[in-house]
Amino acid sequence: MTGSPRNRFILLSTIGYAVLGLLWILLSDRMLLLFTDAGALTRLSTAKGIFFVIATAAVFFILLHAVPPASAAARAATLAPGMGLRRRLHWLFYVFAVAITAAVLLLRLYIPFDFSTRPILILFMLPIVLCALLGGLGPGLFATALSALVTDLVAQPHFHSAASSPYVQLQWISLVLNGIGVSLLSGLLHQSLARQEHSRRLLDVVVTGTTDAVFVKDGQGRYLLANAATAAIVGKPVRDILGHDDRELFDAASAQALMAKDRDIMAAGVVQTGEEHLVLPDGKAMAFLVTKGPMYDGNGHICGLFGISRDITGRKQSELALREAAVVFDGSYEGIIVVNPDGLITKVNAAFSRITGYRADEAIGRSPRMLSSGRHDTAFYRAMWDSVLQQDFWRGEIWNRRKSGDCYPELLTISVVRDESGRICHYIGIFADISQQKAHEAELERIANYDPLTGLPNRRLLSDRLGQAIRHSARSGKSCAVCFLDLDGFKTINDRHGHAAGDRLLAGVTDSLKTVLRADDTLARLGGDEFVVLLVDVAGTGECALVLERLLAAIRQEVRLGDVAVCVSASIGVSLYPQDNVDADTLLRHADQAMYLAKNAGKNRYQIFDPEIDRKAQAHRKELELLRHALANGEFVLYYQPKVDLESGDIIGAEALIRWHHPERGLLLPGEFLPLLHGSELENAVDEWVINTALAQASAWHDIGLSMHVSVNVSAGYLLAPTFCADLARALQRHGNVPPAHLELEVLETAAIADMEQAVVVLQRCRQLGVHFALDDFGTGYSSLTYLRKLPVDTLKIDQSFVRDMLNDADDLGIVEGVIQLATVFGRQVIAEGVETLQHGALLRRLGCRVVQGYGIARPLAADAFPQWCQQWQADAAWHTLTVSS
Ligand SMILES: Nc1nc2c(ncn2[C@@H]2O[C@H](COP(=O)(O)OP(=O)(O)OP(=O)(O)O)[C@@H](O)[C@H]2O)c(=O)[nH]1
């Protein structure tokens, strides 16, 4: 409430008025009593009251008039109207003059001293002085004239008449002269005050209304004056600024700089303008353009300084931004072009000139169309400008033309600059010459997709084309053929004529192949001497075969390698889509597989891939995988079928027979899975496992007092494998308590004769270890007697098929008899398998075969059941007594 000058003024005025009023009430009657008696006092009270009202009304008028306006803006706004109002109400001073003169006259008339001799005219100086002070010259003179006139009229004799005493006349003239003097002085004073007030108000308007900080500091740097703008910048009210110096308003460094500058200005005594940089208490950095100058006291000594500061922070930032933009514009490696809304170039940078070849003066004022390469159609430009106008932006690759006429690709960004009202001011194009990048990309593309030697598509590009061909084939319903082509005997040419000659041959073959291909077909080189021809829209295998013949013929053409001419052939594997309905990679792999078949079939030919054969091969691979897993998982197990001597009834051994505990199908007999192993590496592993397991079993039986010969079946593959003998030796060593002679290896007769020479070597080496051999299934093969003589086997095993049927089939009986006699002649033992009945046993015994095995004696037994069987085994006497006709 008391903060503003206005409020303080109102408060002081009210208090002053209350004190004056109270003094008047308390003292006025006492003053009157000095001049009159108590009776007259009652009458005088009325005049006193009138006088008080008039006087206080005058005082109120003056005070209200002097109330400071509510705000600086209001003060500024009321500057002129205030003066006008005063002028308009000036007549009130004349009314006041009449009233107060009348009141003083009445007062004087009540005073009992004679008016003509003792007029006490000094009383009339009160209205004159009041009117002159309040109203200035006019009201003062008016009050003087009025006072002179009314006192002269009331006096008897009149003052101006000769009858009046000189003493009184002198009083009257002095009243008039004093009145005139006071009025003149007051008039001058009024004029001077009005001028000062006017100046002050004008100054006030400027200081308070300006957005510049205006301030005055004393010699110690304390603020004597600070306007609202100063307060706004400092962020404190004016009263918190006044009396304080810069150290209390700004950060230490800024304050120090400011005060040093102030001291310089006061020392120099001249007005200076310059930039000042401040950090405000809230940390904000600001820049000001400041004019400061010295302030002098009445003696002409410098007693402080004034300052006017303009905030130029924004301007500085803009200038900085402009400078930065200029640096970017001039220094940019990318070309920049500025176009006005009329489509004319207004500015270009140095990079523009470097890229396009046009100097700035050659480009400015012209249309950017001067750069057009003519490589894009109108639709391209329309789409570009649609984007620019709708989204204020476009970015893309465009071909332009240099001044030299060369076309080059550039990556161009067009942006639109609009003013506050949204109108387009400029289009700015920023572009980079990407011709090198494009060339580099093309080179990379070439390296990535083409074979450097022949220039043909490589595997990667072929893969793309193959994908396209498959999709095309699916749409068109026509086939596509992948022909995998490998030169025959290329290595020899390389070795004989050198690598460079080999390269020339590859290039020559490429040329030859190209001559027989259609434009839509693809010839690719995968590497080495491998090529692929991709034929599209193949009507059928017949058409394909024709092309393949042409390809084979083209390759066979003579190629000159310097002085010599060479001929090569090729083997081609072909896969056809959609007959072979697989993906691109598999199609290529199938063609590769077929190519190997062509090679194996004698080269210089083609082989078309058969999906059915492949499906079977895959199924076989899957089954082998299961078997591999079964071996690793311990799913194989050995059963043992006893072999007995018909003559003595002794158990002389057991044949280990493999079974597979299939997790889903139960116990499988060897016939159900061993054929799958045939020829595979897994077959060797399984055989090795069988030998080891059988030996381990024999060892375990040996430990419980059951000394038993065991025989195991060995496949031809494993027998002839280079590691066989070493594996066997290791196995025997591992189970040292089993005499090697207790191990018999049964070898298929057919296996032994497959590579007789090698078989003989292996058998002989193994026999040196002490193991025995039996020729299994004897009689089913076609071994000559020479072979039989050569093979170092101990036993011949008559195949069960002959034994089983010998009772009914004379041929089989003949074979059985023959084998037994052969064994006798060659000094070999003989064993018959497939003994199912007593008759079988009786007959074999009679024919001279003592050792047998078969269901008639025992089925194959689990290892743990075998010892028990041995204990309860009893030879059948019928073998000796039963008479069987042969
Ligand atoms: N000159 C030349 N030889 C290469 C290049 N790349 C691989 N080779 C050789 O090409 C030969 C290709 O070998 P094969 O295809 O296995 O040999 P081949 O004599 O054709 O045998 P078959 O295909 O069974 O008839 C190898 O000797 C590689 O060293 C090459 O870019 N230039």
Side-chain angles (χ1 to χ4, degrees):
M1 170 70 187
T2 54
S4 70
R6 174 187 164 86
N7 290 341
R8 268 200 303 279
F9 181 87
I10 291 171
L11 184 68
L12 283 174
S13 304
T14 310
I15 293 169
Y17 174 73
V19 171
L20 266 177
L22 284 171
L23 284 176
W24 179 260
I25 289 165
L26 295 173
L27 300 177
S28 59
D29 285 349
R30 287 175 190 277
M31 278 174 58
L32 279 176
L33 276 176
L34 290 176
F35 302 106
T36 186
D37 54 28
L41 194 61
T42 317
R43 292 190 302 275
L44 278 174
S45 288
T46 309
K48 192 182 69 172
I50 293 167
F51 176 76
F52 184 79
V53 168
I54 292 169
T56 52
V59 169
F60 262 113
F61 177 80
I62 294 164
L63 290 179
L64 288 176
H65 215 61
V67 175
S71 68
R75 219 178 324 168
T78 56
L79 178 67
M83 306 285 282
L85 180 71
R86 190 181 169 85
R87 230 172 279 129
R88 277 202 305 280
L89 296 178
H90 203 62
W91 56 271
L92 275 174
F93 292 113
Y94 294 95
V95 175
F96 175 69
V98 171
I100 196 164
T101 306
V104 171
L105 184 63
L106 277 174
L107 177 69
R108 175 62 192 89
L109 289 179
Y110 279 109
I111 296 173
F113 297 119
D114 180 25
F115 191 83
S116 301
T117 55
R118 288 182 63 192
I120 318 177
L121 291 181
I122 190 71
L123 286 178
F124 289 89
M125 279 310 288
L126 179 68
I128 291 170
V129 168
L130 273 178
C131 291
L133 283 177
L134 293 175
L137 180 62
L141 288 178
F142 179 68
T144 304
L146 199 61
S147 296
L149 201 64
V150 293
T151 50
D152 191 38
L153 279 175
V154 171
Q156 286 301 330
H158 300 301
F159 293 140
H160 69 275
S161 71
S164 181
S165 81
Y167 165 71
V168 172
Q169 278 185 339
L170 194 61
Q171 259 194 44
W172 188 69
I173 290 167
S174 111
L175 174 72
V176 172
L177 289 178
N178 280 337
I180 291 169
V182 166
S183 299
L184 281 173
L185 281 174
S186 179
L188 287 173
L189 194 66
H190 262 260
Q191 270 183 6
S192 165
L193 282 174
R195 270 200 301 275
Q196 273 186 25
E197 175 65 8
H198 189 63
S199 302
R200 189 189 66 77
R201 282 178 183 250
L202 285 177
L203 213 62
D204 208 24
V205 165
V206 173
V207 171
T208 54
T210 181
T211 54
D212 291 349
V214 179
F215 54 87
V216 177
K217 297 178 185 175
D218 66 14
Q220 281 72 47
R222 289 185 296 256
Y223 282 84
L224 299 175
L225 179 143
N227 68 347
T230 309
I233 290 168
V234 173
K236 289 183 175 176
V238 172
R239 68 172 177 278
D240 291 349
I241 297 173
L242 298 182
H244 299 278
D245 63 27
D246 291 324
R247 284 172 302 196
E248 296 160 80
L249 304 179
F250 306 109
D251 81 313
S254 300
Q256 213 173 357
L258 283 177
M259 293 177 84
K261 178 93 181 174
D262 291 353
R263 279 194 295 276
D264 288 351
I265 288 170
M266 286 191 282
V270 287
V271 176
Q272 292 180 15
T273 299
E275 285 184 13
E276 282 180 0
H277 298 268
L278 296 180
V279 177
L280 300 181
D282 62 3
K284 191 172 156 200
M286 295 187 80
F288 295 93
L289 182 66
V290 184
T291 298
K292 283 180 177 172
M295 189 176 72
Y296 296 91
D297 64 11
N299 300 320
H301 297 130
I302 293 174
C303 61
L305 60 72
F306 70 88
I308 302 167
S309 276
R310 171 158 298 177
D311 178 3
I312 55 167
T313 313
R315 199 181 84 197
K316 280 272 157 194
Q317 283 166 351
S318 306
E319 282 172 10
L320 184 66
L322 278 176
R323 269 203 303 281
E324 285 169 357
V327 169
V328 171
F329 186 82
D330 294 334
S332 168
Y333 188 73
E334 298 187 315
I336 302 176
I337 176 170
V338 182
V339 176
N340 67 16
D342 298 330
L344 300 177
I345 299 170
T346 57
K347 211 172 173 190
V348 294
N349 70 347
F352 169 91
S353 301
R354 177 175 49 77
I355 295 170
T356 65
Y358 288 103
R359 291 193 316 271
D361 61 303
E362 291 173 322
I364 289 171
R366 295 179 66 187
S367 163
R369 272 196 291 273
M370 70 192 235
L371 301 169
S372 171
S373 65
R375 290 203 183 184
H376 304 285
D377 56 12
T378 46
F380 174 85
Y381 289 108
R382 198 177 311 119
M384 180 175 102
W385 282 107
D386 280 354
S387 167
V388 169
L389 295 174
Q390 283 161 20
Q391 297 161 28
D392 283 3
F393 182 82
W394 181 85
R395 186 185 176 85
E397 286 183 15
I398 185 169
W399 281 86
N400 271 349
R401 190 182 296 280
R402 301 184 215 274
K403 188 180 172 186
S404 62
D406 292 348
C407 286
Y408 67 98
E410 65 179 37
L411 181 63
L412 172 65
T413 303
I414 303 177
S415 305
V416 173
V417 182
R418 294 179 185 271
D419 63 15
E420 302 84 39
S421 62
R423 263 202 319 271
I424 294 174
C425 315
H426 288 108
Y427 302 98
I428 297 184
I430 302 176
F431 61 93
D433 180 352
I434 53 169
S435 41
Q436 278 190 0
Q437 184 188 328
K438 284 267 166 198
H440 190 58
E441 277 172 17
E443 178 61 11
L444 284 180
E445 154 91 2
R446 204 185 57 71
I447 291 169
N449 291 315
Y450 291 90
D451 167 43
L453 176 65
T454 58
L456 293 176
N458 62 10
R459 184 184 288 272
R460 186 189 148 108
L461 185 52
L462 172 73
S463 184
D464 277 3
R465 299 257 176 101
L466 191 49
Q468 284 171 20
I470 287 174
R471 286 191 290 279
H472 173 76
S473 175
R475 280 196 305 273
S476 68
K478 289 189 175 172
S479 301
C480 69
V482 180
C483 311
F484 199 108
L485 197 150
D486 187 288
L487 300 185
D488 301 327
F490 179 66
K491 189 171 178 310
T492 318
I493 291 177
N494 252 348
D495 294 346
R496 196 172 295 160
H497 303 287
H499 203 81
D503 284 356
R504 279 201 299 282
L505 176 64
L506 291 171
V509 167
T510 302
D511 292 341
S512 305
L513 286 170
K514 278 181 183 168
T515 59
V516 292
L517 292 175
R518 297 167 303 175
D520 289 346
D521 300 331
T522 298
L523 171 62
R525 179 177 176 231
L526 301 188
D529 60 350
E530 293 177 344
F531 294 83
V532 168
V533 175
L534 173 62
L535 305 172
V536 290
D537 290 337
V538 177
T541 38
E543 185 191 327
C544 185
L546 280 177
V547 180
L548 290 165
E549 289 297 350
R550 280 209 299 275
L551 288 173
L552 287 170
I555 291 165
R556 282 194 300 267
Q557 279 173 19
E558 199 176 75
V559 178
R560 286 212 70 79
L561 306 176
D563 297 339
V564 290
V566 294
C567 284
V568 281
S569 62
S571 302
I572 306 178
V574 185
S575 56
L576 281 161
Y577 181 89
Q579 289 84 336
D580 183 14
N581 200 352
V582 289
D583 62 51
D585 283 352
T586 315
L587 209 56
L588 193 61
R589 192 159 44 78
H590 286 171
D592 192 8
Q593 285 173 19
M595 185 277 290
Y596 274 103
L597 294 179
K599 284 258 185 223
N600 292 337
K603 304 187 178 179
N604 186 27
R605 69 192 63 218
Y606 65 82
Q607 173 72 47
I608 295 181
F609 176 81
D610 184 341
E612 188 48 41
I613 291 175
D614 185 59
R615 255 191 294 280
K616 283 184 184 152
Q618 274 194 23
H620 184 217
R621 271 197 296 278
K622 227 176 262 171
E623 282 163 340
L624 272 184
E625 200 45 52
L626 283 176
L627 285 163
R628 185 168 292 115
H629 181 257
L631 179 63
N633 227 18
E635 292 173 13
F636 291 127
V637 64
L638 290 186
Y639 274 49
Y640 296 88
Q641 189 171 38
K643 298 176 184 178
V644 297
D645 186 329
L646 290 175
E647 234 20 86
S648 64
D650 292 344
I651 304 165
I652 61 148
E655 181 183 2
L657 295 163
I658 193 167
R659 301 283 186 272
W660 179 9
H661 265 303
H662 194 285
E664 285 148 22
R665 293 161 60 197
L667 196 67
L668 301 185
L669 293 173
E672 293 180 78
F673 60 90
L674 280 189
L676 299 171
L677 289 173
H678 183 64
S680 71
E681 285 199 358
L682 187 61
E683 188 175 40
N684 297 357
V686 171
D687 284 356
E688 191 184 354
W689 177 85
V690 170
I691 292 172
N692 273 301
T693 311
L695 279 173
Q697 190 57 63
S699 167
W701 284 334
H702 184 272
D703 289 347
I704 59 167
L706 191 64
S707 185
M708 191 64 58
H709 286 70
V710 284
S711 60
V712 295
N713 295 280
V714 179
S715 69
Y718 189 42
L719 182 80
L720 299 177
T723 60
F724 178 73
C725 288
D727 290 349
L728 184 64
R730 253 198 323 275
L732 289 168
Q733 209 173 9
R734 207 174 296 137
H735 307 288
N737 60 345
V738 180
H742 281 203
L743 178 66
E744 185 178 61
L745 301 177
E746 295 188 9
V747 184
L748 277 181
E749 181 202 1
T750 43
I753 62 169
D755 186 349
M756 180 62 80
E757 301 300 320
Q758 179 66 12
V760 169
V761 172
V762 173
L763 261 56
Q764 272 167 350
R765 278 174 57 193
C766 292
R767 271 165 66 91
Q768 282 166 12
L769 295 172
V771 297
H772 288 201
F773 279 96
L775 263 189
D776 201 4
D777 299 349
F778 195 80
T780 53
Y782 305 97
S783 47
S784 71
L785 293 178
T786 319
Y787 283 165
L788 181 58
R789 194 166 55 81
K790 273 189 186 173
L791 276 174
V793 294
D794 306 278
T795 310
L796 301 183
K797 195 167 189 179
I798 309 167
D799 188 60
Q800 56 178 296
S801 59
F802 306 124
V803 175
R804 212 171 25 236
D805 298 338
M806 66 180 183
L807 296 176
N808 316 316
D809 189 324
D811 290 345
D812 286 346
L813 181 63
I815 291 173
V816 172
E817 278 176 326
V819 173
I820 292 170
Q821 283 163 17
L822 213 57
T824 312
V825 170
F826 280 96
R828 311 283 206 263
Q829 290 175 10
V830 67
I831 175 172
E833 57 181 357
V835 174
E836 294 181 350
T837 60
L838 282 173
Q839 283 86 347
H840 283 120
L843 182 53
L844 284 167
R845 198 187 70 79
R846 194 165 61 75
L847 292 175
C849 176
R850 288 180 58 163
V851 185
V852 295
Q853 68 182 86
Y855 287 0
I857 291 134
R859 287 174 170 265
L861 299 157
D864 49 1
F866 193 80
Q868 200 190 349
W869 181 88
C870 289
Q871 273 179 358
Q872 69 190 29
W873 161 250
Q874 280 186 340
D876 205 322
W879 289 338
H880 298 275
T881 54
L882 200 66
T883 312
V884 184
S885 59
S886 53

